Amino acid sequence: MSWNRRHVLSLADFSPAEYDTVLQTASSFREVLTRRTKKVPTLQGQVVANLFFEPSTRTRSSFELAAKRLSADTLNFAASTSSLTKGETILDTAKTYLAMGTDMMVIRHKEAGVPQAIADEMDRLNVKVGVLNAGDGQHEHPSQALLDLFTICSLINVEKPRSALLTGKKVAIVGDILHSRVARSNIWSLTASGAEVHLAAPPTLLPKAFAAFVKDSNPEISRQLFIHWTLEPALIDADFVMTLRLQKERMTSHLLPSLREYHQQFGITRDRLKLCKPGVRVLHPGPVNRGVEISSDLMDDPVLSLISQQVTSGVAVRMALLYLMGGGKVG
Ligand code: NCD
C-alpha cells in the first residue's frame, strides 16, 4: 500500500501499489455506505470545493456526496452563474475559494490542463491544497477510470478488489475514443493492471496518430494495447466491454455518416455480446445516448450491464480519493 500524492491529475504515472491503495480504501468506504449512518467524521472541518466549469450530473453529485459522507463542508460552483461571466479568470476564481479556506478543489473544465494549472498555482503559493481532476477536455478523467477499475475488480473478487485480478483479462473499449478523456485514463489503469486493452472505433474516431501517440508516451504498454477499426475482433473473447458516449458536442463535423449507421457498425447489442466470453459485462461512463452506442434493453439489463454499479462505486472511490489526498492513513 502506498500513497504520497497531494493532487490527482492523471493516471499516466500511477503505480500498481497506488491503484491497490485506492481499491482497498474504496472497499472500506463501500462498507461504510451500507451502514445505517452512512457517514464518517474523517474530513470534519475541511472544505471541499467542486469547481465545475463544464456541465455534469453524476460526477459533480458523486463528489459532493462523497465529501459529505466524509463530513467535509462542500462548496458548489457552476460556471454559468459565477463571476466568470463578469470576466474573472479561472485562477482568480480558484484563489477566491482558497481565501475562504478550501482544502481540496475538484475541477472539471473543457480545456485540457486547467486542473494542472490550478495545482501548479497552489504549489507555487505553498498552500497545501489538493487538486483533483474531474475531467479536463480530451485529456483525462482519473476518478472515472478508478471507479471503473473498482467496479470490475469487485465483480471478480468483492472481498479483496485489487488490480492484479485483471492480469490477462481482455477489455474492449468501443466508441468515440478520439474525444474521450475516459478512454485515455482507462488505457493507463487497465494496462497497468495487466489487462489487454482493445480499442474499436471508426478511423475518424480512432486515428492512427492517436494509437501512435499513446504507445509513444508509454512504450511498455505496446504489447497490451490493440487497435481495431471494426468491432468484431475487439469483442471476440472479451471479458469486459466498455462503451463510450458519442460526444456530439465535440464532433465538429463529418466524422460519422449517421447515428443509425454508427449503431449498425459499432453499437453494442445482446447479439453482438455472443462473441465475447460467457459472463461478459458491459460498462458505460454515462451519459448514454440510448440506442446509439448501446441498445436500450442491454443498458437496462440488471446482469449484463454494470452501469448502475459504476455510479454506486463512484461514491466510494471518490471518498477514497478525498480521504487519501487529505492525508488519511493508508492500510
Ligand atoms: C464522461 C465525461 O464527462 O467525461 N462522463 C462522466 O464523467 N461520467 C463521459 C462523457 O461525457 O461522455
Side-chain angles (χ1 to χ4, degrees):
M1 297 278 275
S2 102
W3 190 267
N4 51 18
R5 288 177 191 266
R6 171 158 313 136
H7 312 299
V8 175
L9 302 168
S10 155
L11 297 184
D13 62 346
F14 252 59
S15 68
E18 287 176 296
Y19 285 115
D20 284 345
T21 302
V22 174
L23 295 176
Q24 285 178 40
T25 312
S27 184
S28 52
F29 285 126
R30 173 167 51 199
E31 187 274 317
V32 169
L33 295 173
T34 62
R35 294 182 197 163
R36 213 165 72 90
T37 306
K38 301 172 177 53
K39 217 169 164 120
V40 284
T42 321
L43 293 186
Q44 209 157 38
Q46 296 210 31
V47 178
V48 176
N50 280 319
L51 309 183
F52 278 62
F53 298 91
E54 192 198 83
S56 164
T57 307
R58 72 213 78 220
T59 306
R60 202 196 57 69
S61 303
S62 179
F63 270 112
E64 184 177 355
L65 188 57
K68 286 183 163 151
R69 298 293 199 209
L70 294 168
S71 304
D73 294 315
T74 54
L75 294 172
N76 282 308
F77 157 97
S80 57
T81 53
S82 77
S83 289
L84 280 180
T85 58
K86 301 180 187 169
E88 184 171 74
T89 69
I90 292 166
L91 277 186
D92 285 337
T93 304
K95 283 187 208 161
T96 302
Y97 280 89
L98 172 66
M100 283 181 216
T102 295
D103 299 285
M104 276 181 262
M105 297 184 188
V106 178
I107 296 170
R108 167 167 292 192
H109 199 281
K110 67 175 191 317
E111 301 290 342
V114 168
Q116 176 79 61
I118 295 178
D120 290 346
E121 182 66 3
M122 295 300 136
D123 290 348
R124 194 184 65 77
L125 296 170
N126 199 16
V127 288
K128 300 196 175 12
V129 167
V131 175
L132 203 156
N133 177 7
D136 63 331
Q138 296 168 21
H139 176 227
E140 283 220 41
H141 192 349
S143 67
Q144 179 68 44
L146 291 168
L147 76 87
D148 292 340
L149 186 68
F150 183 63
T151 307
I152 292 178
C153 292
S154 298
L155 191 84
I156 303 173
N157 185 339
V158 71
E159 297 299 325
K160 269 192 155 226
R162 55 193 189 285
S163 63
L165 292 168
L166 287 194
T167 309
K169 299 279 181 203
K170 176 171 174 179
V171 184
I173 305 183
V174 182
D176 189 355
I177 290 165
L178 176 63
H179 299 97
S180 177
R181 51 196 176 209
V182 175
R184 282 171 183 70
S185 290
N186 264 300
I187 289 170
W188 301 132
S189 57
L190 295 169
T191 52
S193 304
E196 252 190 25
V197 177
H198 291 251
L199 308 177
T204 45
L205 298 180
L206 177 50
K208 253 194 183 134
F210 171 88
F213 169 77
V214 173
K215 289 187 178 186
D216 280 355
S217 52
N218 185 348
E220 276 178 37
I221 67 172
S222 291
R223 273 177 292 118
Q224 286 166 264
L225 189 66
F226 302 86
I227 312 290
H228 308 281
W229 289 304
T230 53
L231 183 58
E232 283 69 22
L235 292 189
I236 289 170
D237 287 335
D239 297 279
F240 295 96
V241 179
M242 220 172 242
T243 52
L244 299 170
R245 182 173 67 91
L246 267 185
Q247 305 205 5
K248 294 181 213 154
E249 76 278 18
R250 294 195 184 123
M251 255 189 261
T252 27
S253 61
H254 310 309
L255 291 181
L256 286 175
S258 75
L259 293 183
R260 203 165 59 91
E261 203 163 311
Y262 175 83
H263 183 69
Q264 272 167 12
Q265 289 178 16
F266 287 93
I268 305 298
T269 60
R270 278 174 205 283
D271 211 35
R272 288 206 156 125
L273 288 185
K274 290 182 187 144
L275 292 168
C276 305
K277 284 234 179 77
V280 64
R281 294 290 184 279
V282 180
L283 297 97
H284 192 303
V288 178
N289 296 307
R290 270 183 188 267
V292 179
E293 56 260 9
I294 180 169
S295 64
S296 194
D297 65 311
L298 178 57
M299 177 181 168
D300 296 330
D301 188 297
V303 176
L304 291 170
S305 160
L306 297 178
I307 298 174
S308 303
Q309 268 115 298
Q310 286 173 277
V311 177
T312 307
S313 297
V315 179
V317 167
R318 288 172 173 128
M319 284 172 82
L321 288 171
L322 294 174
Y323 169 83
L324 292 166
M325 288 168 60
K329 276 213 206 75
V330 170

